[in-house]
Amino acid sequence: MSTHPDIHGILAYPVTPFTADNKVDFDKLEALVEQLVVTGAHVIVPLGSAGESAYLTEAEFDGVIDTTINVVNGRVPVVIGASDLTTANTVRRAQYAQKAGAAAVMILPISYWKLSEREIVQHYTTVGAAIDIPILVYNNPGTSGIDMSPELLVRMFEQIDNVTMVKESTGDLSRMLRIAELSDRQLPFYIGNNPLALKAFKAGATGWCTAAPNLLPQPCLDLYDAIRAGDHARAEAIYEDLRPLLEFIVAGGLPTTVKGGLDLLGQGVGDPRPPLLPLDDSGRDELRKLLAIR
């Protein structure tokens, strides 16, 4: 099996900024990615759920890849979300990411038809054979409609060279523990459920995949540092302070809530792309309170 790069800690997911006429705002994307790097994110992951990857054209998608990797300029690893409905275009996106200089790709199995395990394995096998960089397998049945069991995830880790990491977003801690058990702790798992961050870190998660650093980078970093230092009391205090915001941004949809928060912080990056809508007035009021207490 291939080795995975040093992908650990806070994996920050930038949103994709849009102009008033609904085009990708690459200047604001540059500024947002730069801010995430200089404030200490360990890894940058564009084109995930927070990045509205499902709503971009292929040209826009490639532009976000190029912009992100150029801004980061090797300072931290970049993992590109390369998921698509078809295996062929997932391969295209993954190959483009590799050519652009990505450290790894993150792939969520998404399909109009619910995929069987045989089809899921073939999908990842085909993508893995087309690239040389590692794959972070992303399990998020809440958005993809497909739920991959710990047994399937570990089987792909054992059978597909490029599959070297798993992002678990079901919110079920027992699944992470099962992944660790089945793989003899050889398969690194990453937190994909914000409200589960503290428990998952305590269970041995390698990193936390989150859009929260767009709004409050330092508490996220402080939580990770406290866990690494074994200071569980401090970690608990930081997490309890962060938890209401984490729950809010997940419940309201990451592009909508994070973009609303950036606007409240004076760093507006435009509205989400329809059919998503901007945060409503009551949501803005609640988020304003959550951000103001820090």
Side-chain angles (χ1 to χ4, degrees):
M1 290 176 286
S2 61
T3 58
H4 60 87
D6 186 19
I7 294 172
H8 72 279
I10 302 302
L11 284 68
Y13 284 56
V15 294
T16 300
F18 294 116
T19 62
D21 58 353
N22 205 27
K23 294 182 171 60
V24 175
D25 192 329
F26 289 106
D27 290 338
K28 287 190 175 179
L29 178 62
E30 288 181 2
L32 182 59
V33 171
E34 178 66 19
Q35 178 177 301
L36 289 170
V37 174
V38 299
T39 53
H42 301 102
V43 182
I44 304 296
V45 191
L47 299 167
S49 303
E52 299 178 67
S53 58
Y55 306 125
L56 302 181
T57 67
E58 292 306 293
E60 291 172 334
F61 193 95
D62 293 351
V64 171
I65 292 175
D66 292 335
T67 299
T68 304
I69 289 177
N70 287 340
V71 170
V72 173
N73 195 27
R75 289 175 288 176
V76 296
V78 175
V79 177
I80 298 295
S83 312
D84 193 60
L85 280 168
T86 68
T87 299
N89 203 47
T90 304
V91 166
R92 190 209 72 78
R93 290 178 168 189
Q95 288 179 328
Y96 192 95
Q98 175 176 308
K99 185 177 180 180
V105 290
M106 177 180 70
I107 295 175
L108 175 78
I110 49 178
S111 185
Y112 181 88
W113 296 104
K114 185 176 180 179
L115 302 179
S116 67
E117 286 198 357
R118 183 170 66 96
E119 290 166 332
I120 292 168
V121 170
Q122 185 59 55
H123 180 66
Y124 281 99
T125 298
T126 301
V127 177
I131 58 175
D132 299 318
I133 56 177
I135 296 171
L136 170 62
V137 177
Y138 180 15
N139 188 45
N140 189 354
T143 56
S144 71
I146 296 170
D147 191 1
M148 295 180 283
S149 68
E151 288 77 12
L152 174 60
L153 292 168
V154 173
R155 177 154 60 93
M156 291 197 295
F157 169 64
E158 293 171 344
Q159 294 178 356
I160 304 170
D161 284 350
N162 305 62
V163 170
T164 64
M165 301 167 280
V166 167
K167 175 185 173 184
E168 236 298 331
S169 297
T170 59
D172 183 350
L173 183 64
S174 68
R175 287 170 174 252
M176 298 185 188
L177 297 173
R178 183 67 173 152
I179 289 168
E181 176 190 7
L182 289 171
S183 70
D184 195 24
R185 296 196 172 273
Q186 296 304 301
L187 174 54
F189 64 88
Y190 297 76
I191 310 155
N193 180 278
N194 280 297
L196 197 66
L198 181 59
K199 289 182 179 179
F201 267 136
K202 288 181 177 179
T206 299
W208 175 19
C209 305
T210 178
N214 289 281
L215 303 177
L216 292 176
Q218 198 57 53
C220 300
L221 296 164
D222 290 344
L223 176 63
Y224 179 65
D225 289 342
I227 288 290
R228 291 195 73 182
D231 190 343
H232 295 296
R234 181 166 178 260
E236 290 276 2
I238 295 167
Y239 174 73
E240 283 306 310
D241 194 37
L242 262 177
R243 182 170 55 81
L245 176 70
L246 299 178
E247 292 174 348
F248 178 87
I249 64 175
V250 171
L254 294 174
T256 294
T257 55
V258 172
K259 286 186 170 183
L262 285 168
D263 187 54
L264 291 171
L265 292 170
Q267 302 169 32
V269 292
D271 293 335
R273 181 167 276 179
L276 301 181
L277 292 173
L279 201 58
D280 61 20
D281 289 343
S282 64
R284 286 175 66 87
D285 288 343
E286 184 174 353
L287 185 52
R288 185 179 288 109
K289 293 174 185 176
L290 291 170
L291 295 173
I293 62 174
R294 292 168 173 84

